[in-house]
Amino acid sequence: MNNIKGLIFDVFGTLVDWRTSIAREARTQLSTLGIEVDWLAFADAWRDQYQPAMEEVRSGRIPFATLDRLHRRNLDVVLAKSGLDQVDEYTRAALSLAWHRLDAWPDVAEGLRQLRRKFWLAPCSNGNISLMVDLARRNGFLWDAILGAEVARAYKPQAIVYLSAAAAFDLAPQQTMMVAAHSSDLAAAAAAGLRTAFIARADEYGPNTGETSAGVPVDVSAGSLLELAGLLDSEAGNPPISQNTADAQR
């Protein structure tokens, strides 16, 4: 573990509570139009379009498009399926950016602060750079870089997304740890040669619906980023990253 220099993070579900945040944002935008629906179900329906839209890019059926563009297209699909075609263009444009206004889980800001004492940190998300910037500013995330899909011009779980993040830090894959609440994400990162850390987010899809333990082999499992910081501190024994800069760039 003492060879790890950089941590990269899944964001949706691992760092931020997308479900209740999107439900709140949808209610804020649509209730002014006299629309009342099950807002959590609306959030779930929008999220259900996430993987199919990215798969169109991964398969080559459409050129690479940022997640903002895919979220907007997905929103139109959900509104149509929900019989809400009356929603005007201005409201659609505003609501499509709801993903920029998600709230973090309570442990995240302080957990990142503690982890940053010893490691370089960056998101490795399917979200585009402007989305990651807005979430960081909203929630007090301190990043050393913003990496992920837009940098790689590909979507997880394609190996290039993880490998390009490690390369951006001038690190070998085995010097880089992927942190996520989703076993599939961690399995793909491990297959690309990265180390992996699982974070339990039991309530991601509602009470007691998220993963509470990793379904694949991982290097570390923790119940929060604060716990992860303690585990890595005790296992790695690394000095602060400022003292590791020369090693990390070799």
Side-chain angles (χ1 to χ4, degrees), residues 178-211:
M178 181 70 196
V179 182
H182 311 114
S183 295
S184 58
D185 203 355
L186 296 174
L194 278 68
R195 309 299 289 273
T196 55
F198 174 79
I199 304 296
R201 295 299 184 198
D203 299 331
E204 179 180 359
Y205 301 95
N208 301 312
T209 59
E211 291 187 58

Side-chain angles (χ1 to χ4, degrees), residues 100 128-139 143 146:
H100 290 237
N128 43 282
I129 293 171
S130 64
L131 197 167
M132 293 296 107
V133 169
D134 281 343
L135 291 182
R137 293 175 69 89
R138 178 182 181 87
N139 294 291
W143 298 125
I146 294 179

Side-chain angles (χ1 to χ4, degrees), residues 17-19 71 82 102 106 129 139 148-149 158 192 194-195 214 225 235 239 247:
D17 177 7
W18 61 265
R19 188 172 188 259
H71 275 152
S82 302
L102 307 181
I129 293 171
N139 294 291
Q158 291 178 302
L194 278 68
R195 309 299 289 273
L225 291 196
E235 292 188 23
D247 285 343

Side-chain angles (χ1 to χ4, degrees), residues 7-11 15-16 108 112-113 115-116 119-125 129 131-137 139-147 169 179 225:
L7 305 183
I8 58 175
F9 296 79
D10 174 64
V11 174
L15 303 186
V16 295
V108 172
L112 290 176
R113 188 185 70 80
L115 288 164
R116 195 166 180 259
F119 305 99
W120 283 326
L121 306 183
C124 185
S125 172
I129 293 171
L131 197 167
M132 293 296 107
V133 169
D134 281 343
L135 291 182
R137 293 175 69 89
N139 294 291
F141 299 163
L142 296 176
W143 298 125
D144 295 300
I146 294 179
L147 306 172
F169 276 148
V179 182
L225 291 196

Side-chain angles (χ1 to χ4, degrees), residues 215-247:
V216 297
V218 297
D219 293 294
V220 183
S221 289
S224 69
L225 291 196
L226 292 168
E227 183 181 351
L228 178 65
L231 289 171
L232 293 182
D233 188 52
S234 63
E235 292 188 23
N238 285 340
I241 189 65
S242 59
Q243 298 177 30
N244 280 337
T245 299
D247 285 343

Side-chain angles (χ1 to χ4, degrees), residues 12 16-30 38-47 71 75 95-103:
F12 302 119
V16 295
D17 177 7
W18 61 265
R19 188 172 188 259
T20 56
S21 298
I22 288 298
R24 178 199 66 226
E25 291 292 319
R27 181 175 184 175
T28 298
Q29 296 289 336
L30 298 180
D38 181 334
W39 301 112
L40 288 171
F42 184 91
D44 291 338
W46 198 355
R47 181 68 173 182
H71 275 152
L75 174 62
L95 182 54
S96 72
L97 297 178
W99 298 88
H100 290 237
R101 300 186 290 273
L102 307 181
D103 293 334

